[in-house]
C-alpha cells in the first residue's frame, strides 16, 4: 500500500473508532441491576459509516473511555 494511502486509511480508522465511541451519549449508562437495565437505548445511536476502507454501523457494545493510552501517547476523547 502506498504511503499516502496508509495515512488515509489510518485517518479513516480513527474517524470510525471515535465515531463509534461517540454513539454513546455521556449519560447513556444506567447500570440498574434491579431493573435489568444497562443503558438507555434512546441515548445510544448508530454510526452508519461507509468509507473507502471501513464500514461500521456502530455502536460499540460498551461506552467510550474518556482517555485512551498506548505506549506513552495519551488521547483524551
Amino acid at each position: 500500500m502506498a504511503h499516502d494511502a496508509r495515512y488515509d486509511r489510518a485517518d479513516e480508522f480513527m474517524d470510525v473508532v471515535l465515531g463509534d465511541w461517540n454513539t454513546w451519549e455521556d449519560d447513556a449508562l444506567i447500570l440498574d441491576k434491579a431493573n435489568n437495565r444497562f443503558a438507555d437505548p434512546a441515548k445510544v445511536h448508530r454510526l452508519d459509516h461507509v468509507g473507502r476502507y471501513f464500514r461500521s454501523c456502530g455502536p460499540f457494545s460498551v461506552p467510550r473511555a474518556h482517555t485512551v493510552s498506548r505506549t506513552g501517547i495519551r488521547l483524551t476523547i
Side-chain angles (χ1 to χ4, degrees), residues 21-39:
W21 271 331
N22 288 329
T23 59
W24 285 75
E25 293 181 24
D26 289 336
D27 58 345
L29 251 130
I30 297 172
L31 300 177
D32 181 359
K33 285 186 178 184
N35 292 304
N36 199 27
R37 295 192 68 206
F38 176 69

Side-chain angles (χ1 to χ4, degrees), residues 18-75:
L18 295 174
D20 276 328
W21 271 331
N22 288 329
T23 59
W24 285 75
E25 293 181 24
D26 289 336
D27 58 345
L29 251 130
I30 297 172
L31 300 177
D32 181 359
K33 285 186 178 184
N35 292 304
N36 199 27
R37 295 192 68 206
F38 176 69
D40 181 349
K43 295 180 179 187
V44 180
H45 311 284
R46 291 179 58 93
L47 175 63
D48 292 324
H49 172 89
V50 178
R52 181 174 180 188
Y53 301 100
F54 301 99
R55 276 191 224 177
S56 176
C57 57
F60 281 159
S61 57
V62 294
R64 70 176 169 247
H66 291 285
T67 302
V68 177
S69 181
R70 181 175 177 201
T71 61
I73 300 170
R74 179 169 280 185
L75 171 66

